[in-house]
Amino acid sequence: MSTLDSLALTRIPAEDEALRAEVRAFLQEAIADLPAHIRARSWGGYSSALSRRLGDKGWIGITLPRAYGGGGRSAFTRYVLVEEYLACGAPVGSHWIADRQSAPLILKYGTEAQKQFYIPRVCKGEAFFCIGMSEPNAGSDLASVKTRAVPNAQGFVLNGQKIWTTNAHHCQYMIALVRTSGTSEDRHQGLSQVIVDLSLPGVTVRPIEDLSGDSHFCEVFFDNVQLGPDALIGAEGQGWEQVTAELAFERSGPERLFSSIVLFDQWLGYVRTPQGRTDSAVRLAGKVLTQLAPLRAMSVSVQEKLTQGASPIVEAALVKELGTTLEQMIPAAIAEDLFAREAEDVPVELLMTLKYVTEASPSFSLRGGTRDILRGMIARGLGLR
Amino acid sequence: MNDNDLFADAAHDVLADRCTPAVVRAIECGGRAADAARGLWEQLESTGLADALLGEDEGGAGLELDQAFGVLEQCGAHALPLPLAETMVARALLAQAGLVRPQGSIALARGQRGAGGGLHCALVRGGQVADTVLVQAGGAWHLLPVDGAHAHAHALALDAALTWSAAQCDAASTVAVDAALDVRTLQAAVVAAQMAGALSSVFQRTLRYANERQQFGRPIGKFQAVQHQLAVMSEHVFAARMAAQLGCSGGGVGIQPDRLRVATAKARCSEAALAVSEAAHAIHGAIGFTEEHDLQLFTRRLHAWRQTAGSEGYWHTVAGEALLQHSGITLDLVRRITDVEFPA
């Protein structure tokens, strides 16, 4: 079990921890007026104003090189930032994807011109990105994408459709996985990533309202969109490898453990009151704490591996699977606790937060790879397929 | 972890060689009188592992509890039916108290002094195989020989209920132990580490079986339903091991574990014990349910260890009380559990 034995206890370095107090103090002032049921949206919440302020503080792109406007700090510094955003419930959704995935992707695969154009804008909180991976009928089967960018004299002509694109209606840019050669039968061959300016003629973005009334997801249509020759990011035909590497970063972070933490802390506030406290609530509090702590230790350990340049794909999948299971258990167990009581004095704000997280929770094990896909990846890592 | 690989490797080597399934069965049948028990204990003594937590000037290796994690884990990984792990911590406590250490193995237990001065332990885990018991009764700790105690069988073959008379108690050593130490916390830390090892063994055996066992013309591990069961098992094994490491980490001086980290360790390992045993037996099918198959040596132990030193519900309450008394956000208590100080 080499994979399992290799996860040792590790700790975030002190120089990265040093940022925590400043971030928390800033957030406590910046989002003081946001009620819990809004803060519960966290990395799904949207505030371009807050993103600009965080950009001014130098907290977006904190791991990116200073030469491109980044902070030049370690991945652990970003880990501390993200934990604070999630634990406080800061609406950081507008710059989330650009900070976590798009700018690092451009740094890794982009041309010098692309780096100089996009990365400083991301770091200032001015350029937001979305990810165009899924398509109708593709779902988790990304290799079957049909959206096609055909080379022409001016660059590429883009036709097709993306779906489940988070926050596309608030973003200036999309990095899309598209077919640049071959057919959808070629699977992993012939795929490339292109940067699409969403203001170009022929792009239509249509928000999809979700079951809780929010519109995080969008459908995006491309009708003969003319892209420049510099739209291609990385090498033509290497899209699959690029996307796979990108997803490892997406899967093991604190956002896979703490999506329900605002609700949990809100509930604890009630259980700490004399009328809120019951024996079963104390047990539930302990159950969550004793599951969360080892998960956080695992997540930090995976981060350490990523920092050292390893590609812990199976470990990341394990952390996400366990983490999202806990994230989904929390609203279910809190509802069970609160409505097993006779009391009618549960604060309405707590119930509104519970309602939101309950309704949002199915997405926790869908976004970033569904539960079954992840179990399949773990099984592959175990040598079963 | 890297510092103690030598000790874990030594434990692995001697246990893989000497603590075979046949030996485990012989000791389960014969208790401490069995030749197998005497022979195995002599082998373990000769490795020096039982003294590893003692200072070097006392003939030990000067390990802290976290550095012994790998050894404790190996005890579980080989279904060791003798209390080596418990003996390690008991000897360290005796050395700290300045007492001469008795020959043989030492079990840990909670007891109650009777009105007449006697002492009763309703449940001594390993009481059928240990030579001595370190008992916490009220605020005092006593070291009592199993020979001469009044013994009753218990639900599990290796366990016993033990009673000592007032005269036997008077003749026994009283051990000066830090008042903040609770035997259940100490035992839970040690048991959780052994559970991590047993969970890993069960998982490895099940994975191997799934790759070997053919049904419908292919290994059952090729079926997606079985693959997903194994993936979920691996998640539990992975998380439990991390929790068990936390349980042995960063306590106070000597071998005093951190109670909240132990709560995390024991609760998480106990949850995993149930889930992993269930899946392992499901995947093994009927053969894994038989006495002759070795799977039961581990899954029976996992259930017994889940029932030792507090089930998950007991430790959930301990952890929940700590969280409710904590005045900040949950993240800060999670950090307090996970941000272990490492020796330079």
Side-chain angles (χ1 to χ4, degrees):
Chain A
M1 201 191 303
S2 56
T3 298
L4 298 183
D5 286 341
S6 65
L7 264 201
L9 265 177
T10 184
R11 173 170 192 168
I12 297 176
E15 66 265 26
D16 302 308
E17 277 291 340
L19 187 60
R20 192 181 294 278
E22 188 190 343
V23 177
R24 188 171 300 181
F26 172 83
L27 290 177
Q28 278 172 351
E29 176 271 314
I31 62 173
D33 297 334
L34 281 187
H37 75 275
I38 299 295
R39 288 188 292 111
R41 283 159 171 78
S42 189
W43 62 291
Y46 180 85
S47 167
S48 55
L50 179 67
S51 289
R52 291 238 166 71
R53 289 187 69 189
L54 294 172
D56 287 343
K57 299 287 285 181
W59 293 344
I60 303 178
I62 200 162
T63 64
L64 301 172
R66 289 177 188 276
Y68 302 114
R73 302 282 300 268
S74 85
F76 276 121
T77 310
R78 183 175 178 278
Y79 196 97
V80 169
L81 267 177
V82 167
E83 277 195 330
E84 291 300 313
Y85 293 163
L86 299 169
C88 298
V92 288
S94 32
H95 69 269
W96 186 265
I97 303 294
D99 176 76
R100 182 178 70 184
Q101 281 166 262
S102 312
L105 183 82
I106 291 167
L107 180 71
K108 189 168 179 190
Y109 298 110
T111 62
E112 186 57 35
Q114 286 171 332
K115 291 180 202 177
Q116 289 190 9
F117 181 81
Y118 293 107
I119 298 178
R121 287 170 171 78
V122 166
C123 294
K124 282 183 202 148
E126 291 170 356
F128 305 142
F129 277 74
C130 55
I131 301 170
M133 287 198 192
S134 289
E135 295 188 1
N137 302 316
S140 291
D141 183 13
L142 282 181
S144 69
V145 301
K146 292 190 174 65
T147 295
R148 182 174 285 274
V150 179
N152 69 355
Q154 294 86 48
F156 301 89
V157 178
L158 186 64
N159 278 289
Q161 181 191 352
K162 292 290 175 182
I163 195 168
W164 314 127
T165 315
T166 301
N167 270 342
H169 52 327
H170 296 307
C171 291
Q172 293 89 349
Y173 304 104
M174 171 192 284
I175 294 183
L177 181 68
V178 299
R179 192 156 286 287
T180 43
S181 59
T183 70
S184 56
E185 275 70 52
D186 292 335
R187 304 291 294 171
H188 301 169
Q189 270 85 53
L191 296 170
S192 304
Q193 286 183 295
V194 292
I195 304 177
V196 183
D197 181 337
L198 295 172
S199 67
L200 287 173
V203 177
T204 306
V205 178
R206 197 158 72 199
I208 302 169
E209 190 168 311
D210 69 27
L211 55 79
S212 61
D214 285 356
S215 295
H216 295 298
F217 299 134
C218 296
E219 291 179 287
V220 185
F221 302 88
F222 308 111
D223 179 16
N224 285 315
V225 179
Q226 178 64 55
L227 303 177
D230 58 349
L232 181 70
I233 178 163
E236 195 277 325
Q238 290 301 304
W240 182 258
E241 287 75 15
Q242 293 174 202
V243 161
T244 307
E246 190 180 341
L247 286 170
F249 276 92
E250 186 184 333
R251 285 184 174 138
S252 61
E255 68 267 33
R256 305 304 178 182
L257 319 179
F258 292 119
S259 297
S260 300
I261 200 71
V262 170
L263 168 64
F264 184 63
D265 273 325
Q266 192 74 8
W267 171 77
L268 282 175
Y270 173 64
V271 178
R272 285 189 182 113
T273 64
Q275 69 270 26
R277 187 192 164 98
T278 63
D279 288 348
S280 64
V282 173
R283 268 195 190 200
L284 174 58
K287 183 182 173 79
V288 171
L289 181 65
T290 57
Q291 291 197 7
L292 192 52
L295 264 167
R296 198 254 186 182
M298 291 159 73
S299 168
V300 170
S301 183
V302 171
Q303 182 66 58
E304 165 82 8
K305 288 186 169 242
L306 286 167
T307 304
Q308 289 170 354
S311 186
I313 291 169
V314 178
E315 294 92 327
L318 275 162
V319 172
K320 179 176 184 282
E321 232 282 84
L322 274 170
T324 55
T325 300
L326 176 62
E327 288 179 335
Q328 289 176 332
M329 178 270 266
I330 288 172
I334 287 177
E336 159 60 22
D337 172 67
L338 293 177
F339 293 95
R341 299 162 184 250
E342 294 279 359
E344 307 290 341
D345 58 3
V346 179
V348 172
E349 184 56 37
L350 171 57
L351 297 180
M352 288 173 75
T353 310
L354 174 62
K355 172 193 178 290
Y356 171 75
V357 178
T358 299
E359 291 175 353
S361 63
S363 72
F364 300 166
S365 59
L366 299 177
R367 57 190 184 190
T370 65
R371 170 159 291 139
D372 303 287
I373 290 292
L374 290 168
R375 287 183 181 171
M377 289 173 61
I378 296 166
R380 179 170 287 117
L382 295 173
L384 288 164
R385 44 165 86 172
Chain B
M1 264 301 288
N2 292 331
D3 304 347
N4 52 13
D5 282 352
L6 278 178
F7 294 96
D9 287 350
H12 174 270
D13 290 349
V14 67
L15 290 168
D17 192 32
R18 300 287 176 168
C19 186
T20 61
V23 167
V24 176
R25 286 183 171 86
I27 295 174
E28 286 188 346
C29 285
R32 73 201 160 99
D35 290 344
R38 292 284 155 211
L40 178 56
W41 187 256
E42 277 168 26
Q43 287 293 329
L44 293 172
E45 278 287 9
S46 71
T47 63
L49 290 168
D51 288 326
L53 293 168
L54 304 184
E56 290 177 15
D57 52 342
E58 293 171 301
L63 297 192
E64 300 287 327
L65 191 57
D66 59 343
Q67 296 169 310
F69 173 79
V71 176
L72 308 181
E73 188 183 26
Q74 285 302 317
C75 294
H78 293 89
L80 176 62
L82 298 174
L84 173 64
E86 292 78 359
T87 304
M88 290 170 72
V89 293
R91 286 191 183 178
L93 288 178
L94 295 174
Q96 277 169 26
L99 293 177
V100 176
R101 295 175 297 283
Q103 292 286 306
S105 63
I106 309 174
L108 300 172
R110 288 200 304 178
Q112 284 187 314
R113 296 301 293 262
L119 196 157
H120 177 64
C121 291
L123 170 55
V124 181
R125 292 289 186 201
Q128 300 282 2
V129 287
D131 296 300
T132 317
V133 189
L134 181 61
V135 182
Q136 184 180 31
W141 294 65
H142 310 273
L143 184 65
L144 293 151
V146 174
D147 253 347
H150 187 70
H152 281 289
H154 216 282
L156 301 168
L158 297 175
D159 303 339
L162 296 174
T163 308
W164 291 268
S165 67
Q168 286 172 318
C169 289
D170 291 344
S173 306
T174 302
V175 186
V177 173
D178 188 319
L181 185 62
D182 157 49
V183 71
R184 180 171 272 216
T185 307
L186 182 64
Q187 195 175 15
V190 168
V191 165
Q194 293 178 84
M195 292 176 88
L199 286 163
S200 177
S201 277
V202 167
F203 175 66
Q204 290 293 358
R205 281 162 188 274
T206 309
L207 186 59
R208 198 160 59 233
Y209 184 79
N211 277 321
E212 287 166 0
R213 170 70 170 158
Q214 304 260 335
Q215 289 276 268
F216 306 103
R218 53 184 175 150
I220 58 171
K222 294 290 172 200
F223 292 91
Q224 193 175 49
V226 176
Q227 291 179 351
H228 284 200
Q229 282 183 291
L230 284 161
V232 173
M233 274 176 89
S234 75
E235 292 163 19
H236 280 289
V237 173
F238 204 102
R241 184 173 195 270
M242 193 51 105
Q245 281 182 269
L246 289 170
C248 287
S249 297
V253 287
I255 53 152
Q256 185 151 312
D258 179 284
R259 188 162 160 85
L260 185 54
R261 288 196 179 121
V262 172
T264 302
K266 186 61 171 64
R268 191 63 189 86
C269 287
S270 295
E271 281 180 337
L274 204 54
V276 169
S277 298
E278 185 179 304
H281 278 288
I283 292 170
H284 273 85
I287 193 70
F289 188 66
T290 62
E291 193 283 330
E292 70 179 81
H293 198 284
D294 294 339
L295 179 65
Q296 53 93 0
L297 300 178
F298 298 89
T299 55
R300 276 193 297 111
R301 258 179 194 73
L302 283 172
H303 288 298
W305 278 326
R306 178 173 175 243
Q307 296 168 22
T308 300
S311 65
E312 59 269 35
Y314 174 85
W315 291 106
H316 287 158
T317 301
V318 171
E321 294 282 3
L323 184 51
L324 292 180
Q325 280 161 28
H326 166 74
S327 58
I329 55 177
T330 299
L331 173 63
D332 290 339
L333 202 60
V334 169
R335 288 171 50 225
R336 149 85 177 84
I337 296 171
T338 57
D339 290 353
V340 170
E341 291 293 346
F342 296 103

